[in-house]
Amino acid sequence: MSAANEHPIRLLAIRDTPLSLDEVFAAVGDPAAGGTALFVGTVRDHDGGADVAGLGYSAHPSAEGELRRVAEAVAADFPVRALAAVHRVGDLAVGDLAVVVAVSCPHRAEAFAACRRLIDDLKSEVPIWKHQVFSDGTEEWVGA
């Protein structure tokens, strides 16, 4: 199948294994794309003024279906040549990759806009919750 006939959603996953920038970037390669935008979300060492020791992500069983729905909406609203999104679940350490999304489009402005919409909608609509553990032993759930 040529790239022109290929479905634009090339990779969607929720995984309990480390994420790969190379895998996501390769998934959105397309000879008709003049711009590719990639977003990488990592576990940071602080939140709200508190030091983060680590965190865990949990996903509802419907999360992969919701991720597909979000991806299909982005692909329908922008001239997407290729799209990929992967999110990690399980326990993560500071510096680990939590989410990687990428979109390729004919032009850079479209790629940036589609990628931004993809990550924003993923974070607001896909039922994935973050459990942060702080250095002082306190903890909180985010997005639950």
Side-chain angles (χ1 to χ4, degrees):
M1 175 182 283
S2 73
N5 296 327
E6 198 171 332
H7 192 279
I9 298 173
R10 308 275 175 86
L11 171 64
L12 295 177
I14 296 173
R15 299 182 175 157
D16 62 0
T17 56
L19 306 183
S20 165
L21 295 173
D22 290 338
E23 177 191 26
V24 174
F25 184 67
V28 298
D30 191 286
T36 299
L38 181 111
F39 173 81
V40 180
T42 57
V43 178
R44 64 181 178 267
D45 66 0
H46 67 282
D47 189 37
D51 292 334
V52 172
L55 56 81
Y57 282 99
S58 301
H60 188 272
S62 68
E64 284 193 3
E66 289 301 302
L67 178 58
R68 177 159 298 279
R69 183 187 58 74
V70 163
E72 287 173 352
V74 170
D77 290 348
F78 295 90
V80 171
R81 297 298 308 162
L83 177 152
V86 291
H87 201 296
R88 180 103 182 258
V89 292
D91 293 330
L92 284 78
V94 170
D96 284 348
L97 303 182
V99 61
V100 181
V101 302
V103 178
S104 61
C105 292
H107 304 283
R108 72 178 175 273
E110 300 157 342
F112 277 124
C115 189
R116 171 113 194 208
R117 164 92 175 275
L118 178 59
I119 188 59
D120 287 350
D121 289 358
L122 184 161
K123 296 306 282 183
S124 67
E125 298 179 28
V126 178
I128 297 173
W129 308 287
K130 177 169 59 173
H131 180 237
Q132 296 188 116
V133 178
F134 298 101
S135 299
D136 66 4
T138 61
E139 53 189 64
E140 80 175 338
W141 282 93
V142 179

